[in-house]
Amino acid sequence: MSTELYSSESVHDKPPAGHDSQESLHPELKLKRKEFKRLFDTTRELDGWERYRALIDASDEAYDLIDISNREARFALIVMGALNAMPLLLLTKTDIIASMTRFERLWMVTFLIGYAVLLLYFILQAIEALHPGRFRPSLKGWPSDSPDFPIGIRYYEDVIQRTVAEQWAAWQHVRLSQLNAELAVQLHGLALKNDAKHRAVRRLFIGLRAMA
């Protein structure tokens, strides 16, 4: 009797046939799945969370470009201050002005007026580069009943139109597609702002070269 029990237990303890071979092939199967997924990744569409992370990365890059434009504009203002020192120094030299002829004084006044106009243009471009204004994309061509229509839960002008409870309720019911759509709208607005800033910085440095 004990022999039969022992034999039955030993049979149950043995792994099923082919189990070892399946374990040895398992890493190869995983490798093939990874290779297949890698091939498929080049043509497949992004899922919702991948799209969200990509939009966040693109927004961060847009804000980095804004910071670069601001630094360039501030550098141009520093150079402008150094260039303005020479005309101001000339105006303090009264003995030089007194020794000038009438024609030379007329020429100097014309030069200073032109320089003042150029300086005003330069200052306006610096203001435009540092504060280009509001850029909010239009959603006229986007049906409001679309399932991915942005409901305005991230942009501050939309947020302050709600109470705290209403804002929290909006976050409770927002869909990932709506959140991604709002990120895409914000990214478009940042692109418009960057374009305006880069144009202003380009004109700013053109004026700086003219002053130099």
Side-chain angles (χ1 to χ4, degrees):
M1 184 68 177
S2 60
T3 305
E4 293 177 357
L5 287 172
Y6 178 79
S7 60
S8 62
E9 290 174 358
S10 62
V11 170
H12 288 295
D13 290 340
K14 291 181 180 179
H19 181 74
D20 293 336
S21 60
Q22 291 179 2
E23 287 290 336
S24 62
L25 290 175
H26 187 62
E28 296 181 3
L29 291 174
K30 288 179 64 176
L31 183 61
K32 290 180 180 179
R33 288 175 184 172
K34 288 182 179 179
E35 292 177 352
F36 178 76
K37 185 179 179 181
R38 192 180 298 112
L39 292 173
F40 184 65
D41 279 347
T42 59
T43 56
R44 71 177 178 85
E45 295 182 354
L46 298 177
D47 61 34
W49 285 111
E50 289 174 335
R51 192 174 295 113
Y52 177 83
R53 289 191 293 270
L55 287 168
I56 290 293
D57 290 341
S59 299
D60 291 340
E61 292 177 1
Y63 282 116
D64 289 340
L65 290 176
I66 290 175
D67 291 337
I68 292 172
S69 297
N70 290 339
R71 287 196 294 268
E72 290 176 345
R74 294 188 188 103
F75 173 75
L77 288 173
I78 293 172
V79 176
M80 181 188 69
L83 291 174
N84 288 334
M86 185 177 66
L88 292 176
L89 183 63
L90 179 63
L91 290 176
T92 60
K93 300 294 184 178
T94 56
D95 54 339
I96 297 177
I97 297 175
S99 63
M100 289 181 178
T101 64
R102 183 180 177 183
F103 176 77
E104 290 174 341
R105 290 178 184 177
L106 182 62
W107 180 88
M108 187 184 71
V109 170
T110 305
F111 169 78
L112 290 176
I113 291 174
Y115 189 87
V117 172
L118 186 61
L119 180 61
L120 179 62
Y121 171 81
F122 189 93
I123 292 174
L124 292 176
Q125 294 305 315
I127 294 173
E128 180 69 18
L130 291 172
H131 187 69
R134 297 171 58 188
F135 292 93
R136 196 168 183 186
S138 175
L139 304 180
K140 292 182 180 179
W142 200 332
S144 58
D145 56 351
S146 176
D148 57 357
F149 187 81
I151 61 174
I153 58 174
R154 286 178 51 93
Y155 193 65
Y156 76 94
E157 290 189 353
D158 296 323
V159 172
I160 61 177
Q161 292 178 3
R162 302 189 183 98
T163 64
V164 176
E166 290 172 344
Q167 177 68 8
W168 175 238
W171 273 100
Q172 295 295 316
H173 301 289
V174 66
R175 292 186 291 271
L176 183 59
S177 60
Q178 292 175 319
L179 186 60
N180 285 336
E182 188 165 347
L183 278 170
V185 171
Q186 287 183 334
L187 181 60
H188 188 73
L190 288 172
L192 293 175
K193 188 173 184 178
N194 268 315
D195 181 65
K197 290 176 76 70
H198 287 165
R199 290 176 185 271
V201 169
R202 191 179 300 113
R203 292 191 295 267
L204 188 61
F205 277 93
I206 291 174
L208 186 61
R209 283 193 290 268
M211 291 177 64

